[in-house]
Amino acid sequence: MVVQTPSKIFKNDFRIWQENEKSIITEILKDEEKTHTLVSLKEILLDIEGEVRFNFDGERTLLILPLYGEIIITDFYEPISAGMSLTLNAQSGKDIVIKNLVHHDRSDLLIFEFKKDECPQKFSKNELDFTLKNNAFQISKTIQHPNFIGLYNSRAEGYYALKESDKSIFGMVINGAFEFQNRLMENRDAILLWELEELEFEALSENALILFMEV
């Protein structure tokens, strides 16, 4: 039996997009009181030859997850494409520039901004292998708190016991639909849950993709 826990849902339909010269940005989550580590989450669409520039007031750990296309990032000289993640430590006052490398289409990516982690490397790239379905695995192997992504068949279920009882769970449906701790979530919907010990979810569509993390 799923216990109803406090939550806040961030519906994709109500999201506000800010149009810039060569990019479109939406802030999915920002400065939530119920998170210990996650400062913000943005989704960015980069136009052809588009780029976006960020500057942070303090040191941050960034997790960059391309959803479509291919990008390149300041000081990291390898392309990052869908099916990969990049974790990096951002210095206070230094610009981070992300450019679209796809010459015929947009690139789509998520940027998670965390309070500074003690990552042993400045950059860490991780290949995401979705061969084994109905299984959640790490998005980033260097971020200290648990973080997962998984591809699920319709009606497949998942369970997760929190490692730290005072942490919240942030979840987001990248593709498809899920019942996530007894809440219906569809494509690009996100949720923040707190006061829970175990997470339960079920895919409601085929090839449904979800991510979640302790924050």
Side-chain angles (χ1 to χ4, degrees), residues 120-132:
Q121 302 166 291
K122 184 177 179 183
F123 295 99
S124 177
K125 186 170 74 170
N126 189 31
E127 301 276 349
L128 306 179
D129 184 2
F130 295 102
T131 304
L132 180 59

Side-chain angles (χ1 to χ4, degrees), residues 9 12 17 19 21 63 79 105 123 148 151 154 156 178 180-181 193 198 203:
I9 297 177
N12 182 43
W17 291 84
E19 292 193 30
E21 184 179 353
L63 172 59
D105 205 351
F123 295 99
F148 303 97
L151 187 66
S154 181
F178 281 84
F180 195 81
Q181 199 69 8
L193 296 152
E198 186 178 74

